[in-house]
Amino acid sequence: KKEDYLALYKSALNFYFETNDYLKSQHYIELSLADKRYRDVMLLKCHRRCLSAEVPSSQDLFFYSQVIQEKCTKRCMQELFGEPLELPLWVIQEFKSHKPYSFLQYAYYMQGDLISALEAASTHLAHNDGDEMMIGNVNFYRSQGADVSAALPHELPDSKALFLRGQNAYATEDYTSAFESFNQGLTEHLREVRNCKNLCEIGHDRYEGRKAPNFTTSATFIEQLVVLYRQVMECRYKCPSKLEKDTSLRLTEDYLPSLLNYLQFSAFQTGRLEEAARAATFYLQIRPGDQQMTSNLQYYLEKLDWEEAAIQEEYVKWHSENEMDKEVLSALVGKREMRKRLMEKQNFILGDMGMISDLSPDPDVLWRNLY
């Protein structure tokens, strides 16, 4: 029987702590990470397959259709992997925080593979911003001549890989290649966010991190449903920020606005004014009031003789879904708490790039990207 990632990870830690066999520890950590990724991919595939199953579409039977689709997903996963895993809370927390990469980087270091150690340490740091120990490790590996670009990445999302490829092309003024990379990166990023949100709602293994709250015997069905629904919405709300956060990219604003900014400029440089206008419009949906992007969009619309630019339906749906998530979560946690969360995120952004409202477009540098 093939070992699951829980058993593989426990074996890895045993070799790491008990026998100091770092080669075997590295091997089992790699296998556990691969198995976890494979299970997540198959869970999403089972979910999509079951969404296409014929179920009652009447609004009155919505809950019934959800039950049928959930049972279908469970059955699909059970056929692939058998009974659900019983995961201890500490395992859930360590995979969620990318702790395995902390062990992996040291295992590589003890084998003298500084390039792989740097890659693993950088992966951990990308998800644990401010980890002083890992920052020190990354700096040490680099001081020894290790170059992370020579390593095979473990979990770099496809959208980030495309973004970096686009940045490299952009730096050499190869705007055609840059546009293609940024355009593909945008599509991939939206897909990653959608997958993240789907994983908030579905599951196979019995994750204690998604356990039901402690209900009182007097709790009504609606009260129980609201508590469970809040857990799902908290998870969904975090998906865009979680996937945008990556300190290795060294961005001066959030990932998606940066991507759209690069995209609109690369499109302009290659004569794709329609794509430039749509990217600028999408940017302004996320960052309304940005004066420089507003000026850019007005320029594109004048050249195209358009009154407005219609962005793709999937982008409109993505943005509307994010706004709806905020509204629903605001209703669940209260408007005051939601304003606090949004203010904390805004302060983080403005602290890096200055007040957007204080920026005034300069015609001489209208097309200059400041990143």
Side-chain angles (χ1 to χ4, degrees):
K1 178 184 176 180
K2 180 183 176 182
E3 287 189 290
D4 54 68
Y5 74 92
L6 174 59
L8 291 165
Y9 190 54
K10 286 182 175 179
S11 296
L13 296 184
N14 182 66
F15 286 119
Y16 188 96
F17 289 109
E18 300 298 329
T19 64
N20 295 335
D21 189 334
Y22 297 109
L23 175 60
K24 288 185 178 179
S25 177
Q26 170 238 315
H27 175 69
Y28 279 96
I29 292 174
E30 300 272 16
L31 290 177
S32 67
L33 290 168
D35 184 67
K36 177 65 167 64
R37 285 193 296 270
Y38 177 64
R39 284 171 176 263
D40 285 346
V41 168
M42 296 312 297
L43 177 59
L44 288 167
K45 287 187 176 181
C46 284
H47 175 64
R48 294 194 192 101
R49 187 183 307 163
C50 292
L51 285 178
S52 62
E54 293 186 7
V55 295
S57 58
S58 170
Q59 187 172 0
D60 295 334
L61 296 174
F62 173 76
F63 184 73
Y64 173 72
S65 68
Q66 295 298 303
V67 171
I68 296 299
Q69 290 169 353
E70 173 68 10
K71 290 182 68 175
C72 173
T73 301
K74 292 284 188 182
R75 185 166 56 251
C76 175
M77 288 294 289
Q78 190 162 354
E79 290 174 357
L80 290 170
F81 302 105
E83 291 299 318
L85 300 177
E86 295 286 348
L87 294 172
L89 183 57
W90 66 269
V91 172
I92 300 166
Q93 292 172 335
E94 293 201 355
F95 274 85
K96 184 178 180 180
S97 66
H98 292 72
K99 182 70 173 179
Y101 288 102
S102 178
F103 298 125
L104 188 59
Q105 61 90 26
Y106 188 72
Y108 276 127
Y109 167 72
M110 293 301 291
Q111 297 174 69
D113 186 350
L114 299 188
I115 293 177
S116 297
L118 173 58
E119 193 279 330
S122 299
T123 301
H124 181 271
L125 189 58
H127 298 277
N128 297 273
D129 190 22
D131 186 328
E132 294 184 2
M133 182 190 74
M134 205 56 65
I135 291 174
N137 289 354
V138 166
N139 291 335
F140 170 75
Y141 296 140
R142 286 175 176 164
S143 71
Q144 298 301 305
D147 181 3
V148 73
S149 63
L152 294 175
H154 283 89
E155 285 194 357
L156 189 66
D158 289 340
S159 64
K160 301 290 178 61
L162 290 164
F163 181 85
L164 291 172
R165 187 189 306 167
Q167 276 189 319
N168 292 334
Y170 186 95
T172 60
E173 299 185 357
D174 181 0
Y175 295 113
T176 298
S177 297
F179 170 81
E180 293 172 355
S181 296
F182 292 133
N183 196 40
Q184 293 174 26
L186 174 60
T187 301
E188 187 63 23
H189 175 69
L190 300 188
R191 185 191 68 82
E192 290 167 0
V193 173
R194 185 168 58 250
N195 286 346
C196 176
K197 290 186 176 184
N198 284 338
L199 288 173
C200 292
E201 303 170 6
I202 59 177
H204 175 59
D205 299 326
R206 295 190 176 97
Y207 292 138
E208 294 178 24
R210 297 180 188 170
K211 63 184 178 182
N214 294 322
F215 297 126
T216 65
T217 55
S218 61
T220 66
F221 170 75
I222 297 298
E223 288 172 337
Q224 296 177 26
L225 185 61
V226 167
V227 174
L228 289 170
Y229 194 49
R230 173 174 172 171
Q231 289 186 339
V232 173
M233 296 310 299
E234 291 272 11
C235 179
R236 285 174 58 89
Y237 174 74
K238 293 176 183 176
C239 281
S241 297
K242 181 170 69 174
L243 289 168
E244 288 184 355
K245 185 179 179 181
D246 190 337
T247 55
S248 66
L249 297 178
R250 297 184 176 88
L251 299 177
T252 56
E253 66 172 330
D254 283 354
Y255 173 71
L256 182 56
S258 296
L259 173 57
L260 291 168
N261 198 358
Y262 276 117
L263 179 60
Q264 63 89 25
F265 186 74
S266 300
F268 164 74
Q269 289 285 39
T270 53
R272 297 178 172 90
L273 294 186
E274 295 91 345
E275 287 84 351
R278 293 190 179 99
T281 300
F282 194 7
Y283 181 102
L284 288 170
Q285 283 195 337
I286 300 169
R287 291 282 186 271
D290 185 291
Q291 295 183 25
Q292 183 169 337
M293 192 62 70
T294 299
S295 298
N296 287 6
L297 178 58
Q298 290 174 347
Y299 174 86
Y300 299 143
L301 296 179
E302 289 174 4
K303 291 294 183 181
L304 292 166
D305 196 23
W306 287 0
E307 292 186 3
E308 61 180 16
I311 61 177
Q312 295 183 30
E313 183 179 350
E314 63 176 303
Y315 300 163
V316 174
K317 182 179 179 182
W318 183 90
H319 179 67
S320 299
E321 188 177 275
N322 280 351
E323 292 302 305
M324 180 61 71
D325 286 348
K326 291 178 185 177
E327 289 185 22
V328 172
L329 188 58
S330 177
L332 291 168
V333 303
K335 292 184 178 180
R336 179 178 297 180
E337 171 64 21
M338 202 63 190
R339 282 196 298 268
K340 178 183 176 183
R341 297 185 187 192
L342 292 174
M343 184 59 68
E344 288 174 351
K345 182 175 177 61
Q346 183 184 43
N347 287 341
F348 170 75
I349 296 168
L350 297 181
D352 281 346
M353 59 184 296
M355 290 293 290
I356 293 176
S357 59
D358 292 339
L359 300 177
S360 55
D362 183 343
D364 294 330
V365 294
L366 181 61
W367 308 115
R368 294 291 182 185
N369 191 300
L370 301 179
Y371 304 134

